Amino acid sequence: MSASSDAPATSGGAAADEPGAPGAAFSPLYRQIKALILQSLDRGEWKPGEAIPSELDLAARFKVSQGTVRKAIDELAADHILLRRQGKGTFVATHHEDRVRFRFLRLAPDDGQHAGSRSRFLECRRLRAPAEVAKALELRAGDSVVLVRRVLSFGDVPTVIDEIWLPGSLFKGLTAERLAEYKGPMYGLFESEFGVRMIRADEKIRAVAAGEPEAALLEIPAGTPLLQVERISFTYGDRPVEMRRGLYLTSRYHYWNSLN
């Protein structure tokens, strides 16, 4: 099928770069289909862990070729938004699966032996957003936010201090008790109980020295080198839904990344 006749239908909402929209000539057709699939995911048409329709069904829905749909799904799978399962189909990725969960925790043991993790929550409270947090989360000054602080230990060794800021409007009902009783990954809780799914993040990393409060929590001498990771996490539509500052002790761990 030629590109001229392989134009996507816009059932359920048109992509911003659909044919006829400004800049559409610069957007490959499969990217337009990718945008339409993302819109459906954002609306909750297919929930985390659920199968999406087959490539043939999606091709019929959007009135494009199966190859165009496949290329769009390939990109979404590469972004860890969808997961292909051999012989079973394509599913919406969930933070309850390790291959998605560990996308956002890049700390790896030097010896390759992964120890069990445990969170100790220091606080969870609501307050008005400080100016820096409001800007990062695209909130109005004074909007409600939730502040979560925790220490993450591996093999009973305190290794990470996290300071997490979340939009209060999205996380109503999040309490220290709820966090403490939940046994899965934190992003899994956000996904299943608050309907907020992190799909990508921007990070800044720098070396810092542990102050007295941080040293006490990590059980190390003050001045010990730490890795500071500042992260903004986004959901569908590039909407920021988390600001996180982490202090990582790297005496037995390293920050791992794969550059493509």
Side-chain angles (χ1 to χ4, degrees), residues 54-200:
S54 69
E55 291 176 359
L56 279 173
D57 289 341
L58 289 172
R61 170 176 173 168
F62 297 128
K63 296 181 173 58
V64 297
S65 69
Q66 185 180 355
T68 298
V69 171
R70 181 177 298 119
K71 195 166 183 180
I73 290 176
D74 283 345
E75 280 211 351
L76 291 166
D79 294 339
H80 301 279
I81 295 170
L82 298 177
L83 292 176
R84 293 188 184 275
R85 292 186 179 139
Q86 188 68 32
K88 294 183 178 180
T90 303
F91 293 76
V92 183
T94 169
H95 287 291
H96 293 282
E97 296 197 37
D98 283 352
R99 64 177 124 172
V100 177
R101 172 184 177 184
F102 290 109
R103 282 182 63 214
F104 295 92
L105 181 59
R106 310 303 297 175
L107 208 60
D110 292 338
D111 61 8
Q113 302 298 313
H114 289 274
S117 63
R118 177 176 58 85
S119 289
R120 177 166 70 92
F121 291 96
L122 306 174
E123 66 175 315
C124 175
R125 60 190 176 98
R126 291 183 175 270
L127 63 158
R128 295 189 179 279
E132 179 187 9
V133 175
K135 181 179 180 181
L137 296 179
E138 297 179 2
L139 302 174
R140 293 184 300 243
D143 276 358
S144 170
V145 290
V146 179
L147 168 62
V148 177
R149 293 180 65 243
R150 70 167 181 175
V151 176
L152 185 62
S153 297
F154 296 98
D156 293 325
V157 178
T159 307
V160 179
I161 301 172
D162 272 329
E163 178 186 280
I164 302 164
W165 297 85
L166 305 164
S169 61
L170 297 179
F171 290 89
K172 294 176 180 176
L174 181 62
T175 63
E177 293 75 19
R178 186 68 194 95
L179 287 166
E181 70 185 16
Y182 188 78
K183 302 307 179 187
M186 185 181 291
Y187 279 175
L189 173 68
F190 294 169
E191 175 187 275
S192 59
E193 303 218 0
F194 297 94
V196 178
R197 180 155 183 262
M198 316 298 183
I199 63 171
R200 75 169 192 88

Side-chain angles (χ1 to χ4, degrees), residues 223-239:
T224 298
L226 300 173
L227 200 63
Q228 179 177 283
V229 180
E230 298 183 3
R231 176 194 304 166
I232 306 295
S233 298
F234 300 84
T235 189
Y236 301 110
D238 258 2
R239 297 192 298 273

